[in-house]
Amino acid sequence: MPATLFRKVWDAHEVRRLPNGQSQLFIGLHLIHEVTSPQAFDMLRARGLKVAMPERTIATVDHIVPTLDQRRPFIDVMAEEMLTSLERNCREHGIRLLNTDSGRQGIVHVIGPELAITQPGMTIACGDSHTSTHGAFGAIAFGIGTSQVRDVLAAQSVAMEPLKVRRIAVNGRLPRGVYAKDVILDIIQRLGVKGGAGYAYEYGGDAIARMSMDERMTICNMSIEGAARAGYVNPDDTTIAYLRGRPFAPQGDAFERASRWWLSLASDRGCAYDDEVTLDAAEIRPTVTWGTNPGQSVAIDERLPANADPDALAFMGFRAGQPMKGTRIDVAFIGSCTNARLSDLREAARVAAGQRVAAHVKALVVPGSQAVRAAAEREGLDRLFLEAGFEWRAAGCSMCLAMNPDRLEGRQICASSSNRNFKGRQGSPTGRTLLMSPAMVAAAAIAGEVVDVREFAPAEVPVGR
Ligand code: SF4
């Protein structure tokens, strides 16, 4: 029977059916970080248990790490305690920790793929919602809560309901100035923030097939914002080319054998889906959120809907029927596991090169990992950003979640390349977040207000390779 990738990977990892109808699912890779793991380790300790498979567990520090000064001890006592506790737990259980002195530290969903720890056909779990990012490689990857982190540490498996699969085909060519971020914001707006409940999203179509791995990661990353527990793209030649030669990828003949197996996992022609949706890439425009969830968005040349949620409007200080274009911003944030990879920084730098950040705007560029930061510096992107008036920071989650010193103040409005615009998400209970692509954030930083990146003439400064 032709089968989806989801079904093939799930079946290969199902240990057994539990009496309640759930599956006990073997987890091939468990990614941990400093925020959701300390309690789980404490629970293990209380029961006298060891980590079942430390070789399948990898740790990094991202949420709480400061991005200005990473010297230890951190000024924030709680952040220092969290990292110290992670270090102790990793030492005690023999878990590899990619720490701030490793050259490989970064946001967990950035370093997994860039080191090829993430591979097709894996089941991947992490105590973070945006674990769906890793699905870009044809893995089944999902976020888990602290008690499930404990389960995976103790038994390398988790109890889960199987998901239905919705195929979302994006066909045609994306217009200039339209990015993967716009595609996923458009999908969430159409299908709703609860539309994916009970589903894994399989992204396909020729627009997705043409995308780089970075772009596919941006799409899969935000699957959870549409309530899909996981999102994935079938492995293809782009996937194989990306993984080849990376530190944790198989080497030599083993890589060729693995590649053949990875490609065989792609959904079979003629397989049945629980639902199918088709989008025309040519119709997608630069998109910006106006509300307090990622589904509350409009194309940059549209006005806020007449029936816009009054609670969201009141919080944001906007009114139905107004345009988003021209909205004055206070902060611009280019970062997060959605959009802080090298290609994201290149796109933003193309807009920022030779320009100047508006005097009233605080603008931050926070690379997703130490490796992204180093690569960007080799290309001179740091210089372009600094000359334009952006701050160039060390790797971490930064203002995406603001569990560190990078926070909004009061009612500030932030143009952000991150993934959530919930009330209080960026550190101030009254702070306001407008989600958009990194290029749109860079353009907003320079204009001092939300603008249409398609009308924003970049300076003729060469960027990247
Ligand atoms: S960048 Fe944001 S969404 Fe991603 S892992 Fe960090 S806090 Fe979570």
Side-chain angles (χ1 to χ4, degrees), residues 62-63 107-109 128-130 221 335-338 396-398 400-401 418-419 425:
D62 49 10
H63 288 65
I107 306 174
V108 64
H109 310 311
D128 186 275
S129 312
H130 296 89
N221 172 276
S336 89
C337 58
T338 312
C397 295
S398 182
C400 172
L401 182 64
S418 57
N419 45 53
R425 171 77 177 180

Side-chain angles (χ1 to χ4, degrees), residues 28 75 200 221 359 436:
I75 293 168
N221 172 276
M436 57 188 83

